[in-house]
Amino acid sequence: MPRTKADARTILSNVDIPTLEALERKILWLSSWMIHNANHVRESRDGLKVGGHQSSCASAATLLTALYLHSLRPEDRVAVKPHAAPVFHAIQYLLGRQDLAKLQDFRALGGAQSYPSRTKDTDDVDFSTGSVGLGVGATLFGAMVRDYVHHHGLAEGRPNGRLVALMGDAELDEGNVFEALLEGWKHDVRNLWWVIDYNRQSLDGVVHDYLFQRIKDFFGTVGWNVVELKYGKLQEAAFQRPGGDALRKWIDECPNQLYSALTFQGGDAWRNHLAADIGDVAGIKALLDDHDDAALHRLMTNLGGHDMSATLEAFADVGDDDTPQCFVAYTIKGFNTPLAGHKDNHSGLMNIEQMTSFKESHAIRDGHEWDVAEGLDLSEDTLKAFLADVPFAQRPARETSPKIPVAALPAPAGARMSTQEAFGQILNDLGRGDSELASRIVTTTPDVTVTTNMAGWVNQRGLFHHEDTADVFREEQVPSAFKWSAGPKGQHIELGIAENNLFLLLAALGLSDKLFGARLLPVGALYDPFIARGLDSLNYACYQDARFMAVATPSGITLAPEGGAHQSINSPLIGLSQPGLTSFEPAYADELAHIMGWGFEHMQADNGGSIYLRLSTLAIDQPKRDFATIADDVLAGAYWLREPAPGAELAIAYTGVIAPEAIAAHEALLEDIPGAGLLAVTSADRLYRDWQAATRAHVNGPGVAPSHIERLLGRLAPDAGLVTVLDGHPATLTWLGGVARHDIAALGVENFGQSGDLPDLYRTHGIDADAILDGAAAVITRRMRRRGALRPTAA
Ligand SMILES: Cc1ncc(C[n+]2csc(CCOP(=O)(O)OP(=O)(O)O)c2C)c(N)n1
Ligand SMILES: [Mg+2]
């Protein structure tokens, strides 16, 4: 139930507001000084501007102080707007959860990070932020995951915390925020707060007037409660005076640009404008006469988001109502600093003189800039006792959740199948069993569950929703292969088409052990080309070290008739280059089963990461083989599908679904080059990283074992030729030519695809068996030339 205002005030009557206000000033000082120190005090070796956002910090100081030093509970999880990182670090420092050295090294190697980072900061950041909008969305999906964990009984005895975002108002320009809001509405998301630092400024300027009304309408439409935190207590009191209504109307109607400009100019400018506009209203002259310039400035800048009592009251009013809440907290960018209100202040820094007087105004002595009690009218003991009592300070250290055992996953049987079909069967088999592994798998797709072959699993495990929902088609006895009943125990989260949402949900699911103490093993499927649509969110998920398995299918031009808009080209390069994500592109079902088993382990390993599987819908003949003999090599990234003769002069290296073309070309080649090898590359990513690590180790010292790919290619003649081929960008494999300095012909897709059948498309893009043979002829010819067996043709 929401509390009444009177209840909230009674609760707050016991709160030591003056101390919180003093600490807010302290936090403003520390965050400003942290940035100043990094830019003007710490030695610079490169002359670069270190940067930092003093104005963005000042804007959020009241709100973050109110949250962290009063309203938050230890179990709450928070995303702090990126450029308020110094405020966050200053608060953690006061709470004894951050080291001084980290503050002194803000934005330096090993110091506090420019933007809050889960993995690199040491003061327990819940959500990394930096790419605006994503941290905000992450809290919404975090709330869904918290409820999932709760409904599945995975966090017994743990209090259910609130998810909170302290966000900049310009974050609302990012589409992902609205995509998330709609999804949250569908899933009835609860117990979630977004506190908008509504300073009406972004990076370049001042945001649109009356944005608030649009926010209110939109949030209301998707079931949120919107709280307008507009006026501070001084303003509220002034509104009670004669002329108060006119003053309120003037404030409400003042364009954002003008309000900002007057804030920057100060008391005299306020006086002139108010006198000119409403000076003839009864009571206004008296009000202006009662306030000197400083007091008038204080009154006019006393917005809700800078008034501790008003802010705490707004938070307390919510009570235990779990309706999602959006607080529109009016603030001033640069509040209480000389940068206040100026439209160009986003990256502005106080200069040396400004900092000197700022320091004086905070009563900070030289050499005591970092002292916790410096400048406060509180003894160190009183301060310590106050901070020790702060609810958030009771938060325990991060724990680790036990690992879930992973048994080997049997390969699906079948003489001919696609990797996508194999994926569906592997999941389906897991769904039918009762392993602990299966109980921790959570699947999700952006509206492509059936077309990515997950329906079998969903039939077994059901859809997740807060409440039981019947499958109407089933109840009406309309025949369908799919059961779509949902309930709190379901294990598939169905999303609308929004790949950003998919990756933000995977991020939240993949952090569930660290955020909510319950390990989940998320598997998300999407069409491979649409990774690009969610790429920043994918990167964001990896940046936070979230652990998930992204299954991208179908992929490449092999999707043939479906056409160029659905055919992915450069996604293998994403797989190769994305930190925190290990990519595989298997050709066969037995490879995939083994990789998935390893993947579930890797997702739980201390130094592990996430998995990206690039799969295909094209059914191909499956090999009959003793898989154990190649199992390790499949994980290492490559194995000889056909062994080369020692010193062979040619090998074909292929990845994924193009295997039949590579096999056909290889067979044709054997007539002329009997020893030629055929290398199956299951993970260019793993191979490449292993090779790079070995290369670096060689630089550092002798006696280093060769990398896996060096060992494999070591079987070939030193001047052998390589033909590489995949249904994707050829650069994925071109580096193989550098491993042992083999000449290379690199085949792959470099242009947009189009509709067609496979023979036409593979020929058009130069990845069919003939193209592979042409590539082989090219490298063999060049080799013969180098050996002097052929004379170069005249130009
Ligand atoms: C995706 C993305 N695009 C651009 C930026 C660069 N950028 C950093 S802050 C900012 C404006 C932020 O304005 P707002 O959210 O209102 O924050 P505040 O006014 O509180 O500083 C921009 C454009 C970014 N961090 N992320
Ligand atoms: Mg702003």
Side-chain angles (χ1 to χ4, degrees):
M1 285 293 290
R3 288 197 188 108
T4 62
K5 292 250 178 250
D7 286 347
R9 269 180 213 143
T10 315
I11 292 169
L12 291 176
S13 61
N14 294 326
V15 177
D16 183 352
I17 304 256
T19 298
L20 281 169
E21 285 172 340
L23 285 168
E24 174 202 325
R25 274 176 66 73
K26 180 85 208 168
I27 287 159
L28 172 65
W29 159 255
L30 281 171
S31 61
S32 306
W33 179 251
M34 201 183 308
I35 298 167
H36 186 84
N37 178 68
N39 283 277
H40 295 297
V41 180
R42 203 167 65 211
E43 191 197 348
S44 166
R45 294 188 302 177
D46 51 18
L48 282 179
K49 175 181 173 177
V50 179
H53 303 86
Q54 286 171 331
S55 300
S56 301
C57 286
S59 175
T62 320
L63 296 170
L64 283 170
T65 305
L67 282 170
Y68 277 99
L69 298 191
H70 182 77
S71 303
L72 290 178
R73 297 293 169 268
E75 58 273 19
D76 296 340
R77 299 291 178 260
V78 191
V80 175
K81 70 170 187 177
H83 20 298
V87 178
F88 172 79
H89 295 309
I91 291 172
Q92 304 310 315
Y93 172 61
L94 291 181
L95 292 175
R97 302 169 68 90
Q98 173 66 295
D99 298 335
L100 172 58
K102 298 274 181 192
L103 304 193
Q104 290 170 328
D105 282 344
F106 173 62
R107 289 188 168 227
L109 190 68
Q113 296 297 298
S114 44
Y115 306 116
S117 163
R118 270 196 66 80
T119 54
K120 284 168 246 106
D121 279 319
T122 48
D123 45 357
D124 201 10
V125 170
D126 293 326
F127 293 97
S128 302
T129 55
S131 179
V132 300
L134 296 185
V136 179
T139 58
L140 183 143
F141 291 102
M144 275 168 66
V145 174
R146 176 205 57 210
D147 291 348
Y148 182 98
V149 164
H150 172 75
H151 284 305
H152 284 79
L154 296 174
E156 298 288 353
R158 282 169 186 274
N160 238 356
R162 181 173 281 144
L163 274 289
V164 180
L166 182 286
M167 60 193 279
D169 44 7
E171 298 200 68
L172 287 169
D173 288 332
E174 286 288 0
N176 86 274
V177 171
F178 296 89
E179 294 174 18
L181 276 172
L182 274 178
E183 202 59 58
W185 172 77
K186 290 186 218 162
H187 286 270
D188 190 17
V189 78
R190 297 167 194 190
N191 218 357
L192 170 67
W193 284 11
W194 286 359
V195 182
I196 304 177
D197 179 351
Y198 192 54
N199 57 29
R200 289 144 291 145
Q201 277 187 256
S202 57
L203 192 158
D204 284 335
V206 179
V207 306
H208 202 282
D209 288 328
Y210 309 117
L211 176 66
F212 167 72
Q213 195 49 46
R214 299 282 78 79
I215 296 174
K216 197 167 172 181
D217 294 348
F218 191 86
F219 278 76
T221 302
V222 289
W224 286 56
N225 187 39
V226 180
V227 180
E228 190 180 12
L229 182 49
K230 184 162 187 181
Y231 316 108
K233 297 285 176 188
L234 292 177
Q235 289 190 347
E236 294 279 12
F239 298 155
Q240 301 308 316
R241 295 176 50 141
D245 286 346
L247 177 66
R248 182 203 293 261
K249 189 161 177 288
W250 187 91
I251 292 176
D252 286 351
E253 290 175 358
C254 184
N256 290 341
Q257 295 250 22
L258 179 60
Y259 215 91
S260 293
L262 295 178
T263 300
F264 183 73
Q265 290 170 299
D268 195 36
W270 290 115
R271 189 177 304 282
N272 293 338
H273 273 264
L274 285 168
D277 293 346
I278 52 170
D280 54 352
V281 175
I284 291 294
K285 182 171 183 318
L287 187 140
L288 292 178
D289 290 347
D290 285 352
H291 291 76
D292 64 14
D293 280 357
L296 186 61
H297 185 62
R298 205 161 35 249
L299 172 67
M300 296 306 289
T301 56
N302 174 240
L303 303 183
H306 290 310
D307 189 296
M308 188 59 76
S309 302
T311 301
L312 292 176
E313 230 169 78
F315 292 161
D317 280 349
V318 175
D320 55 7
D321 181 3
D322 69 358
T323 311
Q325 305 282 332
C326 170
F327 298 90
V328 183
Y330 281 68
T331 54
I332 287 163
K333 198 153 170 168
F335 183 63
N336 272 342
T337 77
L339 309 169
H342 198 290
K343 71 179 178 57
D344 305 337
N345 64 9
H346 183 76
S347 310
L349 296 174
M350 283 184 244
N351 62 28
I352 306 280
E353 294 75 43
Q354 286 171 325
M355 180 47 81
T356 305
S357 47
F358 186 69
K359 193 170 173 181
E360 266 169 33
S361 71
H362 281 260
I364 307 287
R365 293 163 296 162
D366 285 345
H368 294 267
E369 291 85 355
W370 304 104
D371 296 0
V372 171
E374 181 72 2
L376 295 178
D377 284 335
L378 295 166
S379 75
E380 200 150 339
D381 286 348
T382 317
L383 185 60
K384 275 200 179 133
F386 181 90
L387 292 170
D389 254 5
V390 166
F392 183 83
Q394 321 307 320
R395 187 194 261 223
R398 276 190 202 172
E399 339 155 46
T400 51
S401 303
K403 300 209 166 110
I404 310 302
V406 182
L409 302 177
R416 200 175 157 77
M417 83 170 62
S418 70
T419 42
Q420 172 173 313
E421 194 185 338
F423 163 69
Q425 282 201 32
I426 292 166
L427 263 192
N428 194 19
D429 289 348
L430 275 166
R432 263 202 235 114
D434 61 354
S435 62
E436 193 182 354
L437 172 66
S439 74
R440 297 297 181 121
I441 291 176
V442 190
T443 55
T444 176
T445 79
D447 201 24
V448 290
T449 303
V450 173
T451 45
T452 56
N453 244 308
M454 276 201 185
W457 158 267
V458 177
N459 282 348
Q460 313 289 342
R461 298 283 168 158
L463 297 157
F464 171 72
H465 200 270
H466 276 287
E467 277 145 28
D468 283 314
T469 337
D471 178 347
V472 175
F473 275 73
R474 192 152 283 261
E475 289 199 334
E476 295 295 323
Q477 295 175 350
V478 179
S480 164
F482 313 120
K483 287 188 230 159
W484 285 99
S485 50
K489 297 284 183 213
Q491 283 181 249
H492 176 77
I493 302 179
E494 180 73 4
L495 298 172
I497 317 173
E499 285 71 15
N500 267 312
N501 284 344
L502 172 75
F503 286 115
L504 289 180
L505 175 59
L506 287 174
L509 289 165
L511 289 171
S512 174
D513 56 330
K514 290 157 189 143
L515 292 175
F516 308 116
R519 193 182 287 279
L520 296 175
L521 296 166
V523 179
L526 78 166
Y527 293 178
D528 195 51
F530 303 129
I531 281 188
R533 180 65 86 91
L535 193 52
D536 197 22
S537 301
L538 166 64
N539 179 60
Y540 174 67
C542 294
Y543 182 70
Q544 303 199 74
D545 198 23
R547 305 295 180 84
F548 54 89
M549 187 179 282
V551 180
T553 175
S555 60
I557 61 168
T558 302
L559 190 55
E562 196 67 18
H566 279 55
Q567 295 168 355
S568 58
I569 298 168
N570 57 9
S571 50
L573 295 174
I574 294 168
L576 186 68
S577 57
Q578 175 64 51
L581 188 71
T582 300
S583 65
F584 292 90
E585 185 167 354
Y588 299 115
D590 52 2
E591 297 168 3
L592 176 66
H594 191 53
I595 290 166
M596 282 179 68
W598 179 85
F600 287 126
E601 302 258 17
H602 187 66
M603 284 157 65
Q604 306 187 61
D606 294 341
N607 289 322
S610 287
I611 307 289
Y612 162 31
L613 305 177
R614 190 172 189 255
L615 306 185
S616 175
T617 39
L618 179 69
I620 60 173
D621 290 340
Q622 300 291 306
K624 288 195 189 67
R625 55 186 172 184
D626 176 9
F627 187 76
T629 58
I630 54 162
D632 289 346
D633 286 2
V634 165
L635 295 180
Y639 65 94
W640 288 113
L641 188 70
R642 307 280 186 265
E643 292 273 344
E649 58 193 287
L650 185 90
I652 298 169
Y654 77 90
T655 279
V657 71
I658 209 73
E661 277 63 32
I663 292 170
H666 180 259
E667 278 166 9
L669 266 177
L670 284 180
E671 288 173 22
D672 294 330
I673 310 170
L678 179 58
L679 189 70
V681 177
T682 47
S683 172
D685 186 15
R686 295 262 294 165
L687 273 189
Y688 177 80
R689 270 191 260 172
D690 177 46
W691 175 56
Q692 285 293 295
T695 308
R696 278 190 292 271
H698 276 295
V699 172
N700 294 335
V704 178
S707 62
H708 184 59
I709 189 64
E710 285 172 296
R711 276 195 301 274
L712 290 170
L713 296 182
R715 303 276 298 275
L716 306 176
D719 63 347
L722 276 180
V723 183
T724 60
V725 60
L726 76 156
D727 180 359
H729 198 278
T732 314
L733 295 176
T734 43
W735 60 272
L736 289 178
V739 173
R741 285 192 246 149
H742 289 130
D743 188 20
I744 188 158
L747 312 183
V749 182
E750 290 178 309
N751 297 306
F752 288 119
Q754 56 195 304
S755 296
D757 66 5
L758 282 182
D760 277 346
L761 289 191
Y762 281 4
R763 192 192 60 236
T764 305
H765 290 272
I767 55 172
D768 61 359
D770 283 345
I772 298 171
L773 290 174
D774 288 347
V779 290
I780 292 288
T781 309
R782 289 202 291 262
R783 178 170 186 262
M784 288 167 76
R785 252 184 222 140
R786 278 198 305 276
R787 295 189 151 203
L790 275 182
R791 263 181 297 150
T793 43

Tab-separated table of all heavy atoms in Angstrom, residues 59 81 168-170 197-202 207 333, ligand 2:
chain	number	residue	atom	x	y	z
A	59	SER	N	24.236	17.427	-9.965
A	59	SER	CA	22.817	17.283	-10.236
A	59	SER	C	22.218	16.116	-9.438
A	59	SER	O	21.076	16.171	-8.993
A	59	SER	CB	22.675	17.068	-11.741
A	59	SER	OG	21.396	16.816	-12.126
A	81	LYS	N	23.430	6.381	-12.999
A	81	LYS	CA	23.732	6.978	-14.319
A	81	LYS	C	25.250	7.116	-14.459
A	81	LYS	O	25.946	7.471	-13.486
A	81	LYS	CB	23.003	8.322	-14.496
A	81	LYS	CG	23.535	9.450	-13.631
A	81	LYS	CD	22.947	10.815	-14.013
A	81	LYS	CE	23.689	11.895	-13.202
A	81	LYS	NZ	23.293	13.258	-13.504
A	168	GLY	N	19.767	9.693	-15.968
A	168	GLY	CA	19.731	11.034	-16.537
A	168	GLY	C	18.477	11.192	-17.383
A	168	GLY	O	17.949	10.209	-17.909
A	169	ASP	N	17.991	12.440	-17.513
A	169	ASP	CA	16.756	12.604	-18.292
A	169	ASP	C	16.980	12.312	-19.770
A	169	ASP	O	16.081	11.842	-20.463
A	169	ASP	CB	16.116	13.987	-18.094
A	169	ASP	CG	17.113	15.128	-18.119
A	169	ASP	OD1	18.301	14.899	-18.414
A	169	ASP	OD2	16.702	16.268	-17.821
A	170	ALA	N	18.199	12.546	-20.270
A	170	ALA	CA	18.435	12.275	-21.690
A	170	ALA	C	18.470	10.770	-21.980
A	170	ALA	O	18.386	10.362	-23.139
A	170	ALA	CB	19.733	12.926	-22.148
A	197	ASP	N	16.827	12.034	-12.887
A	197	ASP	CA	17.530	13.266	-12.523
A	197	ASP	C	17.153	14.281	-13.602
A	197	ASP	O	17.826	14.418	-14.618
A	197	ASP	CB	19.035	12.945	-12.519
A	197	ASP	CG	19.889	14.135	-12.185
A	197	ASP	OD1	19.360	15.247	-12.112
A	197	ASP	OD2	21.107	13.926	-12.011
A	198	TYR	N	16.037	14.975	-13.340
A	198	TYR	CA	15.393	15.773	-14.387
A	198	TYR	C	15.978	17.186	-14.394
A	198	TYR	O	15.343	18.153	-13.971
A	198	TYR	CB	13.884	15.766	-14.139
A	198	TYR	CG	13.035	16.286	-15.271
A	198	TYR	CD1	13.156	15.770	-16.552
A	198	TYR	CD2	12.084	17.273	-15.062
A	198	TYR	CE1	12.373	16.241	-17.599
A	198	TYR	CE2	11.287	17.746	-16.095
A	198	TYR	CZ	11.447	17.231	-17.361
A	198	TYR	OH	10.663	17.702	-18.394
A	199	ASN	N	17.226	17.264	-14.867
A	199	ASN	CA	17.881	18.579	-14.914
A	199	ASN	C	17.616	19.290	-16.243
A	199	ASN	O	18.129	20.375	-16.480
A	199	ASN	CB	19.386	18.454	-14.633
A	199	ASN	CG	20.082	17.503	-15.586
A	199	ASN	OD1	19.658	17.332	-16.730
A	199	ASN	ND2	21.149	16.879	-15.129
A	200	ARG	N	16.866	18.635	-17.082
A	200	ARG	CA	16.458	19.209	-18.379
A	200	ARG	C	17.653	19.588	-19.243
A	200	ARG	O	17.578	20.440	-20.109
A	200	ARG	CB	15.501	20.390	-18.158
A	200	ARG	CG	14.133	19.908	-17.665
A	200	ARG	CD	13.484	20.832	-16.685
A	200	ARG	NE	14.190	20.842	-15.431
A	200	ARG	CZ	14.330	21.908	-14.664
A	200	ARG	NH1	13.820	23.039	-15.034
A	200	ARG	NH2	15.006	21.816	-13.523
A	201	GLN	N	18.759	18.945	-18.970
A	201	GLN	CA	19.941	19.153	-19.813
A	201	GLN	C	20.488	17.794	-20.215
A	201	GLN	O	20.436	16.832	-19.445
A	201	GLN	CB	21.033	19.887	-19.027
A	201	GLN	CG	20.861	21.385	-18.999
A	201	GLN	CD	22.067	22.028	-18.356
A	201	GLN	OE1	22.004	22.457	-17.218
A	201	GLN	NE2	23.165	22.075	-19.087
A	202	SER	N	21.049	17.758	-21.419
A	202	SER	CA	21.725	16.533	-21.850
A	202	SER	C	23.188	16.874	-22.046
A	202	SER	O	23.785	17.535	-21.193
A	202	SER	CB	21.068	15.985	-23.116
A	202	SER	OG	21.086	16.962	-24.133
A	207	VAL	N	16.918	20.117	-22.685
A	207	VAL	CA	15.931	19.212	-23.286
A	207	VAL	C	14.609	19.940	-23.517
A	207	VAL	O	14.359	21.017	-22.991
A	207	VAL	CB	15.695	17.933	-22.448
A	207	VAL	CG1	16.993	17.221	-22.154
A	207	VAL	CG2	14.918	18.218	-21.191
A	333	LYS	N	21.569	20.997	-13.265
A	333	LYS	CA	22.878	20.434	-13.603
A	333	LYS	C	23.964	21.384	-13.090
A	333	LYS	O	23.960	22.567	-13.424
A	333	LYS	CB	22.965	20.261	-15.129
A	333	LYS	CG	24.053	19.323	-15.558
A	333	LYS	CD	23.690	18.688	-16.888
A	333	LYS	CE	24.854	17.928	-17.473
A	333	LYS	NZ	24.448	17.093	-18.608
B	2	MG	MG	20.194	15.664	-17.995
